[in-house]
């Protein structure tokens, strides 16, 4: 099969503002830790774009972080860094 007929590696068109949802237990340092991890991989990340939502019982927090990424390896690197941190339970 020629390269013209190969499926794309990703359906995401780069560059783009990509929403990354990060979830974990409520902790004083949770949001600042997530911001620090993303900023290490993407220095232009603007923390003011974060949407925050707590669980109904107040035990968990969900952050939706809108990150401007230019390519798939950059996005993958951010996901890896977030998902390996012990404070973070889920990254979507």
């Amino acid at each position: 099969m020629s390269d013209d007929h190969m499926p794309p590696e990703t359906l995401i068109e780069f560059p783009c503002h990509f929403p990354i949802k990060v979830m974990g237990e409520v902790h004083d340092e949770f949001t600042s830790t997530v911001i620090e991890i993303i900023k290490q991989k993407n220095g232009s990340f603007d923390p003011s774009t974060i949407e925050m939502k707590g669980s109904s019982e107040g035990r968990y927090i969900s952050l939706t972080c809108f990150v401007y990424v230019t390519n798939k390896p950059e996005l993958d690197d951010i996901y890896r860094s977030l998902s390996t941190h012990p404070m973070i339970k889920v990254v979507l």
Side-chain angles (χ1 to χ4, degrees), residues 4-81:
D4 293 341
H5 297 98
M6 295 294 293
E9 185 179 334
T10 179
L11 298 176
I12 302 166
E13 290 187 31
F14 294 98
C16 65
H17 283 92
F18 193 85
I20 300 173
K21 185 167 274 199
V22 184
M23 293 176 264
E25 290 185 32
V26 171
H27 186 280
D28 289 343
E29 301 296 318
F30 185 77
T31 301
S32 60
T33 298
V34 170
I35 292 168
E36 182 181 322
I37 292 169
I38 295 174
K39 279 197 150 293
Q40 286 175 353
K41 302 298 176 182
N42 182 305
S44 65
F45 174 62
D46 180 2
S48 71
T49 64
I50 294 175
E51 294 177 0
M52 205 177 301
K53 184 176 181 186
S55 66
S56 58
E57 295 177 11
R59 184 171 173 199
Y60 295 95
I61 187 168
S62 164
L63 304 177
T64 302
C65 305
F66 295 88
V67 182
Y68 185 76
V69 290
T70 57
N71 55 57
K72 186 176 184 314
E74 179 184 12
L75 182 59
D76 291 345
D77 195 28
I78 294 168
Y79 266 91
R80 267 190 302 278
S81 295

